[in-house]
Amino acid sequence: MPTPLPVPIEFELPEGWRAAPPDEVGAPGAAFIALHPQPDHGFTANITIDGEYRPGGATLSEIAHESVERLRQAATSVVVTGRREIGSADAPGFTQTLAVSADIGGVGRHLVQSQVYLSLLDVADPRERAVIRLVLTATASQYPAIVNDFQDFVRTVRPDTSPAT
């Protein structure tokens, strides 16, 4: 069962990408996962979405650093290849790119992760800050061909302000 996001969002998937049940594809902590239609040497590139309430003063950069440290516990190596703030004061964001070496299903993989962190206020209680994390994971060889899909996807993410049904 997907893990619900702290605030509702809406987005558009890139052409050809398909949603998959997080539990069935080994991502039980994700709220949403999408799979690329073309695996690369047995690895399927994916976009995952998760999030949590993050009250307090942790910056998006600090939250991103926490993600790197968690990933380091599961991977053979993790190298941060880029980090920068994005967005505006009203809609802050942070992005980082990671080179990851990991053993996945008994196969050594060289992966690239693009992580985007978005800070959103809860529309029901604007004092509550939620951080949504969007992650593209792809093989190092496939990454250059699909990173634009991820960037296009990120541009479509926005709070879902439609009335609850």
Side-chain angles (χ1 to χ4, degrees):
M1 168 175 261
T3 302
L5 290 173
V7 294
I9 62 171
E10 56 186 17
F11 52 85
E12 296 172 27
L13 283 178
E15 191 173 324
W17 291 72
R18 65 176 176 82
D23 288 342
E24 291 178 22
V25 295
F32 180 84
I33 189 164
L35 303 176
H36 189 268
Q38 204 94 43
D40 182 34
H41 295 93
F43 183 86
T44 301
N46 58 80
I47 295 172
T48 58
I49 303 173
D50 62 23
E52 62 184 337
Y53 279 109
R54 289 300 300 249
T59 66
L60 292 177
S61 174
E62 291 167 338
I63 294 167
H65 179 73
E66 291 170 8
S67 287
V68 170
E69 292 308 310
R70 281 192 306 275
L71 188 56
R72 281 188 172 132
Q73 293 175 12
T76 308
S77 79
V78 178
V79 177
V80 178
T81 61
R83 304 180 93 208
R84 68 184 174 94
E85 291 184 19
I86 58 172
S88 64
D90 292 335
F94 190 83
T95 182
Q96 65 184 4
T97 304
L98 312 172
V100 180
S101 294
D103 183 40
I104 300 172
V107 177
R109 302 271 184 196
H110 296 289
L111 306 173
V112 176
Q113 265 196 4
S114 282
Q115 300 179 342
V116 175
Y117 297 81
L118 304 174
S119 182
L120 301 172
L121 296 179
D122 186 331
V123 291
D125 184 356
R127 296 169 298 176
E128 292 287 342
R129 176 181 74 145
V131 174
I132 304 298
R133 182 173 68 149
L134 315 168
V135 179
L136 168 67
T137 305
T139 62
S141 60
Q142 191 176 34
Y143 179 82
I146 64 173
V147 67
N148 288 338
D149 281 358
F150 182 63
Q151 292 166 343
D152 291 345
F153 163 75
V154 170
R155 282 190 276 279
T156 72
V157 175
R158 60 198 167 279
D160 183 354
T161 56
S162 61
T165 54

